[in-house]
Amino acid sequence: MAHKKIIIAVDGYSSCGKSTLAKSLARELDDEVAIARAVYALGSLETNLGHFDEARAFLNDALDRFERQGDTAGVCGAHYFLGNVGIGQSDFATAATHLEAALTLRMKAESTFNLSVVLNALALVKCELGERETATSLLTQSW
């Protein structure tokens, strides 16, 4: 018997536990892809809230899961948010490492969706690291 695809939509206010619920449901359904996406969502949420230590833990978990699954878009997104965590913690060397990885993956992708966002974030980091010419070049590419 063929399995039916199940779609579960979870709606609610910001920070009410939607991602946590999604992660729990994914574990119950034994769906590794859904778990990776839920952990990634938690990491991006914690980044946006400024909870950088929590974000880093979720995003490193998501990065590992996406790498094991061969999900290039997920790996790229996790690196991007880990770069933003580095910016938030003024750890610009770590931010550069993750943003450069995201940029490399984004440049190889068939779609350049969000390429300018990655370029701009990396330019900010390069500027903070005193690499003004590189920052200018990255900003020029983002136009």
Side-chain angles (χ1 to χ4, degrees):
M1 181 171 139
H3 292 283
K4 282 186 164 184
K5 182 177 181 179
I6 299 171
I7 298 173
I8 300 171
V10 181
D11 192 14
Y13 293 103
S14 178
S15 300
C16 72
K18 296 183 299 282
S19 296
T20 303
L21 175 61
K23 187 176 174 182
S24 296
L25 286 170
R27 281 203 175 112
E28 286 294 319
L29 297 172
D30 196 28
D31 185 340
E32 278 297 314
V33 173
I35 292 170
R37 290 179 182 165
V39 172
Y40 171 79
L42 288 167
S44 61
L45 173 67
E46 295 292 353
T47 302
N48 291 332
L49 292 173
H51 304 156
F52 300 121
D53 291 332
E54 295 87 347
R56 184 183 308 276
F58 283 125
L59 291 166
N60 279 323
D61 184 6
L63 179 61
D64 181 57
R65 291 173 188 276
F66 286 138
E67 286 174 338
R68 281 185 284 153
Q69 294 168 14
D71 182 341
T72 304
V75 170
C76 180
H79 276 300
Y80 171 73
F81 273 101
L82 282 163
N84 281 302
V85 167
I87 292 169
Q89 294 183 317
S90 298
D91 182 356
F92 299 110
T94 298
T97 299
H98 285 293
L99 291 169
E100 287 165 350
L103 179 60
T104 299
L105 291 169
R106 182 52 56 207
M107 296 293 278
K108 290 179 182 176
E110 293 177 17
S111 167
T112 56
F113 179 71
N114 283 340
L115 176 61
S116 63
V117 174
V118 176
L119 286 165
N120 283 313
L122 185 55
L124 169 73
V125 168
K126 293 297 185 175
C127 192
E128 288 291 338
L129 292 172
E131 300 176 31
R132 308 266 191 253
E133 288 181 26
T134 303
T136 301
S137 174
L138 290 164
L139 288 173
T140 302
Q141 291 176 58
S142 74
W143 298 339

